[in-house]
């Protein structure tokens, strides 16, 4: 720690110090105040622009292709903004979307310039995650967390006991943990600790227990996806899978009401008891739930009205209202009995992109998904286990996949909370992808 402090004090320039501090506090701010997290990222972007023009940084030349892709995506958003009739509603979210790109570039810059940045960051992230986990456990056992937030429904005797931690009334704790878990695993292996596997498995199990207690079904599904990818590179697969099974068997047994929500309630939604649509066995089948299917149906109808450029970022609800009001275009239920359902967003990343920014944005998103999957097709079963960079890159890709996974309901992809987490991960992804060590060693093993 003393050496890190000396490096921070003596080897980092003033502007870089400010940038570094802002970047490493983002995970904690994302758990406590989205306003401050967004503000920190915005200021870090301004600092990066200042550094870039003052010092003529050449680091970014090696990621020209990725920067061009960012610019293309931004232009798609801006073109959608220029032609949407919800300009005022979409302006802030669209025009200032570039700030997320600057977050990624800031992380890439710090990693490229300072070898010890990853060490500083790893301590910061570990401390943050442990604080979040400890706070959640305090809320579970004592009824309120460090900020005095009670668990939702505490005064209601019939309510299920769930935890939300720093997020208070918002059920985002599980989502937060599962999105940062792959990054935490990445930095653990990046630093080559002697007991990587023991530390990783311990954190995975603890995070899993907390996610279960949040009752967030999507987060739990994503958690099991992370566990599956960890299983592929685990040195002791039997012990790992045994621990997972034992922990969750105990949780399901000791929390019957949560078990009912995770299993019975989910199955009732999948069976779709809202319509007469049945398969050959007489069972109603749904994509997650009738409501989610109807939101997808609505997004498709909005897309059909705005094929190329969409209706504009964060305009789903307004576009839905207008469709309902348009008497000249009466939209009936489809064969699955879905109808127009208005919400802030369609709770599906790819259908939101389809309705908000149209065909070109959708194709871009599919390309990114294809690219991430192609990486796993090359490396998932060929990870060079003695190479810290390849394993870290593997987990960062898991983190990106978790944020853009297409088969389950999702949050608002253009929301600042989700966007900040995604582009935060992309900063590490950019660096690991372009690391010379990675190109020389890992790609060689993949051929």
């Amino acid at each position: 720690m003393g050496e890190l402090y000396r490096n921070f004090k003596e080897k980092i320039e003033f502007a870089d110090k400010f940038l570094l501090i802002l970047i490493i506090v983002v995970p904690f701010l994302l758990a406590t105040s989205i306003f401050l997290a967004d503000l920190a990222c915005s200021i870090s972007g301004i600092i990066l622009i200042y550094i870039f023009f003052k010092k003529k940084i050449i680091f970014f030349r090696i990621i020209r292709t990725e920067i061009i892709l960012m610019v293309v995506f931004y232009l798609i958003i801006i073109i959608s903004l220029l032609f949407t009739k919800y300009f005022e509603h979409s302006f802030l979210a669209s025009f200032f979307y570039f700030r997320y790109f600057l977050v990624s570039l800031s992380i890439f810059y710090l990693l490229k310039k300072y070898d010890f940045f990853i060490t500083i960051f790893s301590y910061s992230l570990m401390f943050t995650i442990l604080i979040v986990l400890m706070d959640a456990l305090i809320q579970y056992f004592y009824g309120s967390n460090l900020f005095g937030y009670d668990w939702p429904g505490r005064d209601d005797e019939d309510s299920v006991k769930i935890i939300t931690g720093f997020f208070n009334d918002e059920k985002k704790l599980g989502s937060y943990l599962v999105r940062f878990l792959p990054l935490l695993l990445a930095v653990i292996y990046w630093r080559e600790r002697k007991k990587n596997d023991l530390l990783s498995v311990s954190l995975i199990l603890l995070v899993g227990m907390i996610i279960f207690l949040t009752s967030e079904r999507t987060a739990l599904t994503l958690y099991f996806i992370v566990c599956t990818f960890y299983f592929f590179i685990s040195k002791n697969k039997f012990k790992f899978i045994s621990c997972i099974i034992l922990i969750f068997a105990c949780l399901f047994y000791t929390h019957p009401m949560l078990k009912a929500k995770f299993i019975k309630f989910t199955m009732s939604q999948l069976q779709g008891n809202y319509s007469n649509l049945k398969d050959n066995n007489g069972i109603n089948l749904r994509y997650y739930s009738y409501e989610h299917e109807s939101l997808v149906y609505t997004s498709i109808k909005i897309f059909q009205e705005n094929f190329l450029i969409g209706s504009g970022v964060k305009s789903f609800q307004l576009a839905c209202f207008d469709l309902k009001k348009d008497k000249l275009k009466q939209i009936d239920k489809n064969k699955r009995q879905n109808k127009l359902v208005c919400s802030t967003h369609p709770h599906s990343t790819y259908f939101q992109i389809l309705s908000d920014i149209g065909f070109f944005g959708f194709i871009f998103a599919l390309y990114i998904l294809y690219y991430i999957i192609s990486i796993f097709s090359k490396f998932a079963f060929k990870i060079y286990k003695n190479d810290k960079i390849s394993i870290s890159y593997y987990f960062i890709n898991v983190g990106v996949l978790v944020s853009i996974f297409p088969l389950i309901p999702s949050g608002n992809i253009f929301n600042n909370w989700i966007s900040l987490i995604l582009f935060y991960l992309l900063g590490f992804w950019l660096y690991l992808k372009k690391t010379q060590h990675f190109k020389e060693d890992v790609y060689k093993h993949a051929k």
Side-chain angles (χ1 to χ4, degrees), residues 287-301:
Y287 161 69
Y288 201 74
S289 73
Y290 171 77
E291 288 83 0
H292 285 88
E293 266 197 14
S294 292
L295 286 169
V296 168
Y297 174 71
T298 304
S299 66
I300 292 174
K301 292 300 178 182

Side-chain angles (χ1 to χ4, degrees), residues 321-356:
F321 288 154
D322 284 347
L323 277 180
K324 282 191 170 184
K325 292 177 183 177
D326 193 346
K327 296 181 181 179
L328 297 178
K329 296 180 180 179
Q330 184 65 36
I331 299 178
D332 298 322
K333 295 180 179 180
N334 63 4
K335 293 181 180 180
R336 297 177 65 83
Q337 301 302 306
N338 299 124
K339 61 181 180 180
L340 293 183
V341 174
C342 299
S343 180
T344 54
H345 59 94
H347 296 273
S348 173
T349 295
Y350 295 87
F351 284 101
Q352 181 182 5
I353 291 173
L354 192 70
S355 64
D356 280 11

Side-chain angles (χ1 to χ4, degrees), residues 62-94:
I62 63 174
I63 55 171
R64 282 176 294 185
T65 302
E66 289 76 13
I67 291 176
I68 290 172
L69 287 174
M70 291 180 183
V71 172
V72 169
F73 188 60
Y74 182 65
L75 289 176
I76 292 173
I77 291 175
I78 294 301
I79 292 171
S80 177
L81 171 67
L82 293 176
F83 289 94
T84 181
K85 61 180 179 179
Y86 311 108
F87 183 89
E88 293 183 0
H89 183 79
S90 297
F91 176 76
L92 290 177
S94 300

Side-chain angles (χ1 to χ4, degrees), residues 87-213:
F87 183 89
E88 293 183 0
H89 183 79
S90 297
F91 176 76
L92 290 177
S94 300
F95 185 79
F96 292 103
Y97 195 81
F98 68 88
R99 70 189 188 277
Y100 303 126
F101 305 147
L102 295 179
V103 171
S104 299
L105 296 179
S106 296
I107 294 172
F108 175 82
Y109 166 73
L110 291 171
L111 287 168
K112 195 70 179 173
K113 188 172 182 180
Y114 301 107
D115 292 337
F116 53 85
F117 170 72
I118 189 60
T119 303
I120 297 174
F121 175 77
S122 67
Y123 282 121
S124 174
L125 182 63
M126 182 72 72
F127 176 78
T128 296
I129 298 300
L130 290 177
I131 287 293
V132 171
L133 292 171
M134 181 184 70
D135 177 79
L137 290 172
I138 290 173
Q139 187 182 53
Y140 179 76
F141 288 110
Y142 296 99
S144 60
N145 75 338
L146 296 174
F147 287 173
Y149 299 151
D150 295 337
W151 56 270
R154 183 183 180 188
D155 297 328
D156 185 356
E157 294 181 358
D158 297 326
S159 67
V160 180
K161 185 176 182 179
I162 60 176
I163 53 179
T164 55
F166 289 128
F167 296 96
N168 198 10
D169 294 331
E170 296 183 276
K171 294 182 65 176
K172 294 163 66 173
L173 175 59
S175 178
Y176 173 89
L177 289 172
V178 78
R179 290 172 190 274
F180 273 107
L181 178 59
L183 178 58
L184 183 60
L185 295 173
V187 298
I188 287 173
Y189 283 93
W190 197 334
R191 294 198 57 224
E192 290 188 304
R193 288 187 172 91
K194 294 182 179 180
K195 297 183 179 180
N196 285 341
D197 294 330
L198 178 61
L199 179 59
S200 298
V201 172
S202 299
L203 286 170
I204 289 172
L205 295 177
L206 182 56
V207 167
M209 288 188 286
I210 298 299
I211 291 176
F212 178 88
L213 296 174

Side-chain angles (χ1 to χ4, degrees), residues 342-383:
C342 299
S343 180
T344 54
H345 59 94
H347 296 273
S348 173
T349 295
Y350 295 87
F351 284 101
Q352 181 182 5
I353 291 173
L354 192 70
S355 64
D356 280 11
I357 55 177
F359 175 77
F360 294 115
F362 183 70
I363 293 300
F364 185 92
L366 288 182
Y367 170 75
I368 298 300
L369 178 64
Y370 163 78
Y371 188 81
I372 295 298
I373 293 175
S374 69
I375 290 174
F376 287 120
S377 69
K378 294 177 181 178
F379 302 117
F381 301 102
K382 299 178 182 179
I383 290 292

